[in-house]
Amino acid sequence: MNQTPLPCRARAEIDLEALRANVRTLRARVAPHVQLMAVVKADAYGHGAVRCAEAALAAGATWLGTATPHEALALRAAGLTEPRIMCWLWTPGDPWAEGIEAGLDMSVSGLWALAEVTAAARETGRRARIQLKADTGLGRNGCQPADWPELVTAALKAEAEGLVRVTGLWSHFACADEPGHPSIVAQLDTFRSMLGHAERAGIRPEVRHIANSPATLTLPEAHFDLVRPGIAMYGVSPDPAIGTSAGLGLRPVMSLKASVALVKQVPGGHGVSYGHHYVTPGPTTLGLVPLGYADGIPRHASQRGPVLVGDRVRTVAGRVAMDQFVVDLSGDEVEPGAEAVLFGPGDRGEPSAQDWADAADTIAYEIVTRIGARVPRVYVGE
Ligand SMILES: *Cc1c(COP(=O)(O)O)cnc(C)c1O
C-alpha cells in the first residue's frame, strides 16, 4: 500500500518521457517522409502546451497545431520561435497581422477569412502563410466542395499579388475513430478530388493533410505529407474500438492524484454528500478526496467514478461537489494524506481516463482536457 503523502492537495503528473515515447511510436507508424504536427490546442489537452510542445519537438515533431491564433501566438511568445505553427479556428476580427508577424500558418475556410488575411498582409507588408481547408464531409469548419473553386481562384489571385503563399491544403475526418465507417472512404475521395482541382489550378502546397490520431493509427492511405495526432500523443486511445493505449503501444501521459483529506468512521444508514444519493450500507470509513467539478471531475460521474486508494479501486460515493467528493473505504484503515489516484497509466492498478469517460458517459479526450487550472501540473521524465 503506497500511502506516501503528496506535497499538495492534488496534482496532475505529466510524464514527458511518455509523451516523447508516444511521438516516436507515432512517427514509426508513418512513412519517413511524412511529417508530424503535434496538436497542442486547449493547453495540450490539459497537459500544458509549452512543455508538451517542447517534448514533442524533441521527439521528432516538426509542426505544432493549435485551434485558436491566441494559442499559437502564446507558443511563439513562450520562445518557440523556430517550428512551424498552424492554427485553424479563426473568427472575424482575429489577429491576422500578429499571425503574419509571428510566421504562423493560418487556416482559411472561406472568402471572409481570405479578405481579412490579405488586408493584414497589405498592412504589414509581409506575405501571409495560409492553408486552405476543405470540408470533405465533416460538416463543421472548411470550405464546401461547391465553393472550393471560387476560394482556390481567390487564393491564387492573392498569391499572384504577393499577399499570401498557400502552404497547405487540408481537411479533417468525421468518423476516423470508427474504423470501416463509410464516410472515411467518401471523405478521402472528396479530399483527393479537391486536392486535384486546386493543384490543376496552380496551387503548389508544401503539405497536404487530413489524418488525426485515429487516422494516423489505422489509415495509412490518409497520411499524405503530414499527420496531426493529438490524443494519441498524450497516450490515450481515441476510442476503445481502435484499441487500448497499451495495445497501441502508447503510454498515458497524465496521472491525476490527490491526497485524502479526511478519513472517518460513520455508522450505517449515513447519507453522503449533497442529496444523500449514497447511504452507507453499514458502519464504514469514508475518505474525503479534495477534487471536484471545479477541478474538472465530471459531476456526471457521481456514484460511478473509480479511484485507487490504498490497494483497492473505490467508487465515488454520492455526488461530486465543486471541490470534493467522498469514497467509501469499506472499513479499511487509510491515513489522511494517503494517495488517491483517479487515473494514470495503470501500473499500480489505477483506473484509466477511459474508465472515467465510461463513468461519465463521455470520451477520454474530455476527461483529460477538462482538468482545471486549480490543479497544478507537475512535470516528470524531463
Ligand atoms: C483536435 C484536432 C486534431 C487532433 O485530433 P486527435 O483526434 O486528438 O488526434 C487534428 N486536427 C484538427 C483539425 C483538430 O481540431
Side-chain angles (χ1 to χ4, degrees):
M1 230 191 251
N2 180 353
Q3 297 201 351
T4 315
L6 295 172
C8 51
R9 172 184 74 101
R11 59 179 169 176
E13 271 177 23
I14 308 299
D15 181 353
L16 294 173
E17 176 49 38
L19 188 143
R20 290 192 298 270
N22 295 335
V23 170
R24 289 191 292 265
T25 297
L26 291 165
R27 279 220 50 93
R29 288 225 178 205
V30 303
H33 75 274
V34 175
Q35 300 192 67
L36 188 143
M37 177 188 292
V39 177
V40 294
K41 64 188 179 187
D43 204 22
Y45 296 38
H47 295 66
V50 174
R51 302 299 288 275
C52 290
E54 288 168 348
L57 293 165
T62 47
W63 289 70
L64 301 172
T66 71
T68 72
H70 304 89
E71 292 173 318
L73 292 169
L75 292 172
R76 284 281 191 250
L80 291 157
T81 52
E82 289 300 314
R84 297 290 285 271
I85 305 181
M86 177 176 172
C87 54
W88 46 75
L89 187 56
W90 291 84
T91 308
D94 265 346
W96 298 98
E98 289 86 337
I100 295 171
E101 302 283 6
L104 304 181
D105 284 70
M106 303 178 283
S107 182
V108 165
S109 285
L111 292 174
W112 75 262
L114 191 65
E116 290 204 359
V117 75
T118 50
R122 284 203 179 85
E123 176 191 320
T124 57
R126 291 181 58 181
R127 197 187 270 261
R129 285 208 283 249
I130 65 169
Q131 298 210 10
L132 302 183
K133 180 167 196 192
D135 180 0
T136 55
L138 174 60
R140 203 177 63 180
N141 211 343
C143 178
Q144 278 284 300
D147 302 324
W148 187 245
E150 190 183 16
L151 182 63
V152 165
T153 302
L156 281 166
K157 180 167 167 283
E159 204 167 50
E161 291 169 35
L163 297 171
V164 305
R165 160 100 184 91
V166 181
T167 57
L169 299 172
W170 75 292
S171 190
H172 195 42
F173 280 115
C175 309
D177 55 348
E178 296 176 52
H181 193 284
S183 69
I184 296 172
V185 187
Q187 281 199 254
L188 273 175
D189 281 349
T190 305
F191 189 46
R192 287 198 195 92
S193 100
M194 291 172 86
L195 289 177
H197 171 88
E199 290 174 350
R200 280 191 304 279
I203 305 261
R204 296 287 172 265
E206 292 170 38
V207 285
R208 301 156 304 161
H209 50 105
I210 187 170
N212 54 2
S213 293
T216 302
L217 292 165
T218 67
L219 215 59
E221 63 270 42
H223 291 173
F224 292 90
D225 306 311
L226 178 149
V227 293
R228 303 189 308 267
I231 197 74
M233 200 171 64
Y234 306 107
V236 174
S237 171
D239 190 280
I242 295 198
T244 60
S245 297
L248 295 167
L250 302 170
R251 184 168 169 80
V253 171
M254 183 189 290
S255 296
L256 182 63
K257 300 177 176 180
S259 298
V260 174
L262 179 71
V263 180
K264 64 186 176 188
Q265 313 284 331
V266 296
H270 203 300
V272 174
S273 193
Y274 293 131
H276 279 177
H277 290 273
Y278 183 78
V279 177
T280 55
T284 189
T285 44
L286 298 177
L288 181 65
V289 179
L291 280 171
Y293 59 77
D295 303 298
I297 310 307
R299 186 169 178 276
H300 214 64
S302 294
Q303 302 272 55
R304 291 204 291 256
V307 186
L308 179 73
V309 183
D311 54 5
R312 284 179 53 193
V313 175
R314 331 275 173 166
T315 304
V316 173
R319 279 200 181 139
V320 173
M322 186 181 291
D323 314 300
Q324 44 194 310
F325 65 84
V326 173
V327 290
D328 188 336
L329 298 170
S330 319
D332 290 356
E333 291 295 319
V334 171
E335 292 297 317
E339 190 171 85
V341 187
L342 283 75
F343 58 83
D347 300 346
R348 286 159 44 200
E350 73 274 18
S352 62
Q354 183 62 47
D355 293 328
W356 273 86
D358 295 341
D361 291 329
T362 183
I363 54 175
Y365 290 74
E366 187 182 354
I367 297 298
V368 293
T369 304
R370 65 186 294 166
I371 298 307
R374 195 166 67 176
V375 179
R377 272 58 172 176
V378 176
Y379 293 91
V380 300
E382 317 253 339

